Every structure is written in structure tokens, then in C-alpha cells.
Amino acid sequence: MLSELLLHPTTASQVTSLLENPTHAICIVGPGGAGKTRLANHVGATLLKVKTLQNQAYVHSINASEGDGIASVREVRKFLTLKSTGTHELRRVVIIENSDQLGHEAQNALLKTLEEPPSDTVIILTASQQSHLLQTIRSRVRVLTVLPLQKDTCLELEGYTALDLNKAYALSGGFAGSFMALLANSSDHPLTLAVELAKAFLAKTPYERLSTVDTLAKDKEQAKSLLIGLEKCLYAALRSAKTASVNTIHTKMDVVMAAQRSIEHSVNTKLLLSALSVRL
């Protein structure tokens, strides 16, 4: 049920409208930790009229941030050539997580499917940066925007202290996935550590940041954690930014998101962090 999900009222309204008038191609947009995957699974299960997508024969999921994107999209297209059975109009779901991390060739392959999707199928994309999808893909999907939760809603949750709720809300920026994960394990949650690392990094001068690059570059997972923390800090900055600062923050966000994509494709971590140190 939709009531089981923590959603901003505008997002909930979008989801309700979609479920009442479904389309064959959807893109759920929001930052990391927004709860996009959970929402994608909820939408898919509701449209298939099942409780969960787990162990369903006509469900295929890929994560574009893992493995070979073009190969994964080809697997999707192969999956869609198979016949589905059943009496419902919609009988099959494809979920492509982090679709904005697909390369140009993979996106073009996906576009061919979106241009003529099977009539029994719903294709659900998730994306942190919608602008990194081809315009031709964006024009063929219905967008669901995951907005941050209203603070009052978060602070009303039972079973947690006001201190824990306020801390989780501040660190998550109000995004449901991170918010609930932080509540489950706040003090040593990876996101808490990532944000602390990012705040320390941002507090340094460019020269001081460069002096830490060698250490950070030796641990790729820590470098990834830094990028996640920087993303969260910048989203938090956007929430309180004055109009004159918004473009600057968006520019920095683009730099961080580009670094996140690059680090997943074995780019020289030291060079990447050095460039990041100067451009933030």
C-alpha cells in the first residue's frame, strides 16, 4: 500500500496518478538515498497486482552502476522477446537502477525498446541526474520526482527519540531511503561517516585538500564515501541557499556527480580527487 511508504505529498500524488493511469515507461528521479529503488519496486508490484516483485517470473532488474551497461541492456531486450502469460493487461516489469550511469551506446540501445515497448510491460528507470539521460529517452518516460520529506512528518515517527529523528533528518536531507537507514543505525552508519568526511574536506583550502589526496586515493572505497558525503552536503546546501548561490551549488553538484560516474569506471582516483579538490 502507498501508505506504507514515506513520501512527500506531491510525490505521493504523482504516484497515485500513475497507478490510476499507468504508462509503459517511467523514470523515478531523486538523489542517492531518496528511496527510488523501494518506490520502483512498490510501483512495479502494484501494477502487476502482486505483494512483492521477489521471485516473480516476469520481472527483470539491472543496476547500471554495476557491470557492462550495454550487455545489461541487451539482456533486457532479450528478456522482452519472451512471451508472458496471464490475464492482466500489465504482466511484466523491468527495473533499471541508476539509468543515468548508462553510457551513450547503452542508452541508444535502451531507446529502441522505449520507442516501442511491449504492450504487457512496464519499464521503470531510476536516475539521480535526469539531465544525464538522452533527451530522446527523457521524452519517452513519465517522470516521478522524489521530493524530500516534510520535517513534521519525519519527526512524528514513533519509536525514536526526537534527537535521533532530528539528526537523521539533517543528515539525510529529508530523503526517505537515507532517513530510515540512519534511524536503523545512526552513529556508525556509512552515510554519517561519509558526511563527516565530506564536511572536513570542504572545510579545507584547495591546497589542504590536495595534501590529503594521496591518502584518499589509496582507498577507493573511502574516496567513494567522500563523494557520497559531498553529494549529501551539497543537497543540504541547496535547501537553504539564497538565489544567488544556487547556480554555484549546482555547478559543484555536477562536478561531484561526474566524479561519481568516473570513479566507477576505473579512472585514476588520484587525478580525479586532485581535480575535485580544486573545483569545489
Side-chain angles (χ1 to χ4, degrees):
M1 294 177 61
L2 192 58
S3 59
E4 296 174 354
L5 298 176
L6 275 176
L7 295 173
H8 186 280
T10 300
T11 303
S13 178
Q14 290 179 353
V15 174
T16 299
S17 176
L18 172 69
L19 294 177
E20 292 173 348
N21 299 284
T23 183
H24 292 286
I26 304 161
C27 185
I28 300 175
V29 177
K36 299 186 295 294
T37 298
R38 186 179 182 189
L39 181 55
N41 280 276
H42 170 82
V43 169
T46 303
L47 292 176
L48 289 189
K49 303 184 187 305
V50 296
K51 290 184 177 180
T52 175
L53 293 185
Q54 290 184 348
N55 302 318
Q56 296 294 327
Y58 300 123
V59 175
H60 187 82
S61 299
I62 66 170
N63 189 332
S65 66
E66 302 171 355
D68 185 336
I70 184 62
S72 297
V73 172
R74 286 171 178 160
E75 283 297 315
V76 167
R77 298 185 67 188
K78 182 178 179 181
F79 170 75
L80 293 178
T81 64
L82 304 175
K83 299 294 184 182
S84 65
T85 60
T87 57
H88 297 306
E89 182 179 356
L90 296 174
R91 302 184 294 277
R92 183 163 49 185
V93 166
V94 170
I95 296 177
I96 302 178
E97 295 182 60
N98 302 305
S99 62
D100 50 332
Q101 294 189 31
L102 289 171
H104 189 79
E105 183 182 3
Q107 288 197 35
N108 275 320
L110 175 61
L111 177 62
K112 294 178 181 178
T113 298
L114 293 176
E115 287 174 336
E116 295 184 11
S119 60
D120 63 350
T121 300
V122 176
I123 300 172
I124 305 175
L125 314 180
T126 73
S128 295
Q129 294 286 307
Q130 187 185 356
S131 61
H132 294 149
L133 290 170
L134 295 175
Q135 174 58 39
T136 43
I137 287 181
R138 284 181 273 159
S139 68
R140 287 170 171 79
V141 298
R142 183 167 173 181
V143 174
L144 290 179
T145 303
V146 183
L147 298 173
L149 302 169
Q150 295 177 319
K151 189 171 184 178
D152 288 347
T153 300
C154 294
L155 298 185
E156 289 172 357
L157 286 183
E158 297 180 356
Y160 305 97
T161 67
L163 179 63
D164 286 341
L165 290 169
N166 275 289
K167 182 178 180 181
Y169 185 84
L171 283 176
S172 67
F175 287 101
S178 296
F179 177 70
M180 294 307 298
L182 285 164
L183 285 177
N185 187 14
S186 179
S187 61
D188 58 353
H189 187 276
L191 180 57
T192 305
L193 301 178
V195 169
E196 290 175 353
L197 181 64
K199 285 181 177 179
F201 188 80
L202 290 170
K204 299 178 185 296
T205 66
Y207 177 79
E208 290 171 334
R209 293 173 196 158
L210 286 169
S211 69
T212 67
V213 164
D214 281 338
T215 301
L216 288 169
K218 292 177 182 178
D219 186 342
K220 193 169 185 178
E221 290 307 311
Q222 187 181 37
K224 289 181 180 180
S225 179
L226 171 65
L227 294 176
I228 291 171
L230 289 171
E231 177 190 357
K232 296 302 179 187
C233 288
L234 289 170
Y235 270 113
L238 274 177
R239 290 170 61 84
S240 58
K242 296 180 180 179
T243 304
S245 307
V246 169
N247 287 339
T248 299
I249 297 172
H250 275 297
T251 299
K252 291 182 178 181
M253 181 68 76
D254 286 341
V255 170
V256 171
M257 297 303 292
Q260 287 181 337
R261 293 194 300 276
S262 297
I263 204 170
E264 293 292 346
H265 295 90
S266 301
V267 169
N268 185 300
T269 305
K270 182 176 179 179
L271 290 178
L272 182 151
L273 292 176
S274 296
L276 189 72
S277 298
V278 174
R279 298 181 67 188
L280 287 180

